[in-house]
Amino acid sequence: MRELASNHRGHRHARPKVAVDTVLFAISDGGLRSYLVPIKSGPLLGKWAFPGGLVREGEKLDEAARRQLHSFTGLSEVYLEQLFTFGDPPRDPNSHVVSVAYMALIPDAGAVSSEANGEPAGKWFAISALPPLAYDHSLMADYAMKRLKSKLEYTNIAYSLLREEFTFAELEAIYATILNRPIDRRNFRRRIMAMGLLRKGRSTRRGPHRPAALYSFTRQSLQTIEML
């Protein structure tokens, strides 16, 4: 028994690598968009993927996700949430890589600035028209969308997709776009205001019609609310 145990301990096993990938969302041009980077070599050449990479030894997962996202986008301050772990051995044709997926939200797609050789590292795509994705990133996209829709109905997560001040119409558009259904404007406004989620600012924004009042969230951090 002792000899068998010794042999077992001495046997070397190839260990899976650990990676992080982040599904980055923003509202732009009236729709929900996600940021993708192209695969530039190997068997998946020509496909697209969410920003990500391998975790360094001794590095926390959240730190790795923020580091990788910053390297591809230049972003530092984002809403970031861990989603799910994807670990099927054949998901990466190069080696066995276990990926921890994240979701990130920003209020301005134009804030992405990272470049490679003078060109943007990636490109924004409408979530309804994503190109062929590498690995199992299509599953990540579906998982992230389900999480975002769910959280929109019971938290104030919309704050992370809006600038600090916004019109009520912009808030309504966030909900209508992500939930993909019409919003009863009068009932929606009544419920949102009754929850105390917003504070009305003193300034207004000029538009094609009368000036629109500006609002901001009372809390710029995740908060559970009554189901909408």
Side-chain angles (χ1 to χ4, degrees), residues 7-226:
N7 289 339
H8 179 73
R9 286 195 300 268
H11 185 67
R12 293 182 177 272
H13 294 277
R15 297 182 178 179
K17 300 174 183 178
V18 179
V20 288
D21 293 292
T22 300
V23 183
L24 176 62
F25 286 133
I27 298 292
S28 179
D29 298 326
L32 183 66
R33 297 181 177 271
S34 190
Y35 193 75
L36 300 173
V37 294
I39 303 295
K40 297 183 177 180
S41 63
L44 298 176
L45 176 67
K47 291 191 175 183
W48 294 77
F50 295 114
L54 295 178
V55 178
R56 294 171 177 169
E57 185 175 354
E59 188 176 35
K60 295 181 179 178
L61 290 173
D62 286 9
E63 292 173 353
R66 291 187 182 278
R67 173 179 58 81
Q68 289 287 354
L69 186 62
H70 181 268
S71 70
F72 283 103
T73 66
L75 298 170
S76 297
E77 298 298 324
V78 299
Y79 174 89
L80 188 70
E81 175 181 335
Q82 191 176 124
L83 291 174
F84 194 72
T85 300
F86 296 81
D88 286 349
R91 63 177 299 275
D92 188 327
N94 296 306
S95 61
H96 187 181
V97 180
V98 175
S99 179
V100 181
Y102 282 79
M103 175 178 70
L105 308 174
I106 58 172
D108 180 13
V112 172
S113 61
S114 186
E115 297 184 349
N117 300 320
E119 296 292 333
K123 182 179 177 182
W124 288 99
F125 289 88
I127 196 65
S128 59
L130 295 178
L133 298 181
Y135 316 115
D136 47 10
H137 285 198
S138 59
L139 295 178
M140 288 187 188
D142 291 343
Y143 201 99
M145 272 303 304
K146 290 176 182 177
R147 176 71 64 87
L148 181 57
K149 286 181 178 180
S150 175
K151 285 233 154 159
L152 199 65
E153 294 183 320
Y154 72 91
T155 75
N156 64 337
I157 200 171
Y159 81 86
S160 57
L161 289 164
L162 288 161
R163 297 179 186 273
E164 187 173 349
E165 288 193 319
F166 51 87
T167 66
F168 212 94
E170 289 171 333
L171 179 63
E172 290 174 351
I174 291 282
Y175 278 81
T177 297
I178 296 175
L179 298 179
N180 194 30
R181 58 178 170 81
I183 298 295
D184 183 331
R185 300 186 66 183
R186 181 175 298 181
N187 185 53
F188 178 77
R189 177 183 287 266
R190 178 181 60 80
R191 296 195 65 182
I192 289 290
M193 298 308 295
M195 292 178 189
L197 295 178
L198 306 180
R199 66 168 64 93
K200 189 175 182 180
R202 296 182 179 180
S203 57
T204 59
R205 182 182 299 165
R206 294 188 177 277
H209 305 292
R210 63 181 184 181
L214 292 177
Y215 295 84
S216 61
F217 278 89
T218 55
R219 287 179 56 176
Q220 293 287 322
S221 59
L222 197 64
Q223 175 185 3
T224 300
I225 63 174
E226 180 183 344

